[in-house]
């Protein structure tokens, strides 16, 4: 689900369904068209075009989303991202894998990430 947040920002929250992320994405990486900052436990992701931030299209991530976002480096696999969640939060591997897959699907649908392996 996505929802409008105060000031026109869009909150990215996990969909309440089983993930259907494309199987091809094994190593996600952040798009270079966005910058992010963590403020007070929330991460704000802002699209940048021609060196100018588009403040009309800000995305906000909650604590779990921020934890996943921080781990996305274009080197870690989806499985490694899920394992990192089990270390940071009290969740099983299966729960973490489902949450990561669903969140990555959402990020990909918004153009915030792409597949590092496919880009090589």
């Amino acid at each position: 689900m996505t929802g409008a947040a105060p000031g026109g920002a869009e909150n990215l929250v996990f969909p309440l369904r089983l993930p259907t992320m494309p199987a091809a994405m094994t190593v996600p990486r952040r798009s270079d068209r966005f910058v992010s900052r963590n403020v007070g436990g929330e991460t704000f992701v802002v699209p940048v075009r021609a060196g100018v931030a588009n403040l009309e299209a800000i995305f906000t991530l909650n604590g779990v989303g921020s934890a996943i976002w921080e781990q996305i480096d274009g080197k870690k696999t989806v499985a490694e991202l899920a394992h990192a969640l089990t270390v940071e939060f009290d969740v099983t591997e299966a729960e973490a894998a489902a949450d990561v897959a669903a969140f990555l699907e959402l990020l990909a649908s918004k153009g915030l990430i792409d597949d590092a392996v496919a880009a090589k």
Side-chain angles (χ1 to χ4, degrees):
M1 289 186 177
T2 61
E10 184 175 351
N11 285 313
L12 297 180
V13 288
F14 298 115
L16 299 175
R17 60 183 170 73
L18 292 176
T20 58
M21 185 179 68
M25 185 176 294
T26 56
V27 180
R29 71 172 179 191
R30 296 184 207 174
S31 169
D32 59 3
R33 298 175 303 156
F34 297 85
V35 295
S36 62
R37 296 291 179 267
N38 189 299
V39 179
E42 284 189 323
T43 300
F44 296 88
V45 183
V46 181
V48 177
R49 291 185 181 92
V52 178
N54 179 359
L55 299 179
E56 299 293 319
I58 296 173
F59 298 97
T60 59
L61 310 178
N62 65 15
V64 175
S66 293
I68 297 168
W69 180 258
E70 290 301 317
Q71 292 291 321
I72 296 172
D73 61 4
K75 297 175 185 168
K76 291 182 183 76
T77 65
V78 173
E80 289 170 324
L81 296 174
H83 179 72
L85 273 192
T86 65
V87 172
E88 189 166 346
F89 299 95
D90 186 25
V91 295
T92 67
E93 289 279 346
E95 291 169 323
D99 285 349
V100 167
F103 190 59
L104 293 178
E105 179 183 353
L106 180 60
L107 292 175
S109 75
K110 300 292 184 180
L112 295 163
I113 62 169
D114 58 21
D115 188 12
V117 174
K120 288 184 180 180

